[in-house]
Amino acid sequence: MSELAKPRLYTLVVNEGSGGGRSGRELPRVARDLRECLPGAEVAVVTSDSWTESEKLTRAAALAARDGDAVIVMGGDGMAHLGLNACAGTEATLGIVPAGTGNDFARGVGVPKNLSGAVDAICAGVTRRVDLAHISNEAYPSRYVGAVLSTGYDARVNRATNDISLRFGSLSYGWVAIRELVHFSPLQYRLRIDGVLRIQEAMIVAVCNTGMFGGGMRIAPDADPADEQLSVTIIDPVSRSTLLRLLPLMYSGRFAKHPSVQQFTAHQVEIAGDGLFCMGDGEELGDVPVTVTAAPGALKVFVDPSQAAATVKA
């Protein structure tokens, strides 16, 4: 068969243990539905049982992709993170079938929340070109984050949530947030925002692309993943009781009205400070210093056709 005659290739990469095993249970149905609605394409299914293997599989599929091919990841925020890193800057279009508990990046760019809706979106072939946040530090000289890079109280809550064995979906994040608050004090930051040095204490410094984390918390309510900028949220030092009152308001974004909250956009943010580490898309991404830079239009992703104003037919 000639190169031109080859059908489009949709590679479905699944960590079968993701989402508490939900990915593995739903895989047969998802694969069947994709094959039925994409008769002119080849749907290849590859499974993994580890983060490292999933990363290798997604990257290999993306690097081999031709125009019109897709890499589809099925799982939670971790699989979405691997998928966007694999596909950024390649010919591959990213498809996300959300089977986790948070699915923050998927929701932030317009992927339907349920499995069947996500499969329908991939089959409809409507795509959106979105930005990513590019990070660089000692651990990851070049890495992309799709949703939020956290470094303060939010990062500590994220890390602690990842470490607990009993999960209750997005409720786990809220419970750990209350637990961690007991011992938390403001952190000293050395920031450089688009070249301007800024030294301050803060509870949270979040650098955002889509602005959603922790299973639906809207840490940057006005973030636009296609505006070619980063959205930055800083919460100045406040009492523990005040931060406790702000936490539930993050689900609606209303916390942003509090006088301790600063929000602005930037093209590049450098973060340094003692005792700070990075969490991006729910994954631990090394220590500061870290440089975060907007990466305009770095990724093409299948989205809900209702996102028509921001999408284009593939």
Side-chain angles (χ1 to χ4, degrees):
M1 181 181 291
S2 70
E3 189 71 19
L4 290 176
K6 286 184 178 180
R8 291 174 298 159
L9 176 61
Y10 286 63
T11 304
L12 173 60
V13 184
V14 184
N15 181 343
E16 294 186 278
S18 181
R22 185 185 180 202
S23 293
R25 294 190 298 272
E26 298 286 355
L27 174 57
R29 178 170 68 89
V30 169
R32 182 197 67 223
D33 290 349
L34 285 170
R35 290 185 172 118
E36 287 180 353
C37 74
L38 296 167
E42 178 185 351
V43 177
V45 178
V46 290
T47 60
S48 160
D49 58 7
S50 73
W51 170 272
T52 302
E53 187 179 19
S54 295
E55 185 170 36
K56 290 178 180 177
L57 290 170
T58 52
R59 188 59 178 163
L63 289 175
R66 301 168 300 141
D67 185 30
D69 291 349
V71 176
I72 304 168
V73 292
M74 183 175 172
D77 287 315
M79 285 299 291
H81 177 75
L82 293 182
L84 66 88
N85 271 280
C87 294
T90 73
E91 295 288 343
T93 300
L94 177 63
I96 303 173
V97 181
T101 54
N103 306 314
D104 288 316
F105 174 71
R107 286 190 285 179
V109 296
V111 175
K113 297 178 183 179
N114 57 73
L115 269 67
S116 59
V119 169
D120 288 345
I122 294 168
C123 294
V126 177
T127 65
R128 183 185 187 190
R129 180 68 67 173
V130 298
D131 308 334
L132 296 172
H134 179 271
I135 75 161
S136 178
N137 61 5
E138 185 176 0
Y140 292 92
S142 181
R143 192 80 175 181
Y144 290 104
V145 170
V148 178
L149 182 84
S150 304
T151 53
Y153 168 69
D154 46 344
R156 298 185 182 200
V157 173
N158 195 161
R159 175 193 268 176
T161 302
N162 289 351
D163 289 341
I164 63 174
S165 56
L166 190 60
R167 302 293 181 90
F168 300 99
S170 60
L171 294 177
S172 298
Y173 192 94
W175 177 78
V176 174
I178 295 171
R179 188 191 72 183
E180 290 294 309
L181 189 58
V182 174
H183 305 291
F184 185 77
S185 298
L187 299 166
Q188 186 72 36
Y189 280 88
R190 296 188 299 278
L191 306 172
R192 193 172 293 276
I193 313 293
D194 287 338
V196 178
L197 181 63
R198 178 173 179 170
I199 299 175
Q200 70 165 95
E201 285 191 329
M203 310 296 276
I204 288 175
V205 174
V207 183
C208 314
N209 182 45
T210 65
M212 191 177 294
F213 72 167
M217 287 184 168
R218 300 174 62 83
I219 189 67
D222 297 326
D224 179 354
D227 66 355
E228 303 186 355
Q229 300 183 91
L230 303 168
S231 294
V232 183
T233 295
I234 298 177
I235 299 182
D236 294 330
V238 293
S239 67
R240 293 185 178 93
S241 61
T242 296
L243 188 55
L244 182 61
R245 289 196 301 272
L246 291 177
L247 286 174
L249 299 179
M250 288 184 183
Y251 287 99
S252 65
R254 288 186 295 141
F255 82 102
K257 297 178 180 179
H258 193 275
S260 70
V261 179
Q262 305 176 51
Q263 294 192 307
F264 52 89
T265 59
H267 292 286
Q268 187 176 82
V269 179
E270 299 173 48
I271 304 173
D274 296 334
L276 302 177
F277 59 91
C278 304
M279 299 293 295
D281 296 338
E283 305 300 324
E284 193 159 346
L285 298 177
D287 297 326
V288 301
V290 63
T291 299
V292 193
T293 308
L299 180 72
K300 187 165 72 170
V301 59
F302 291 109
V303 296
D304 190 326
S306 67
Q307 299 281 319
T311 59
V312 61
K313 185 77 173 182

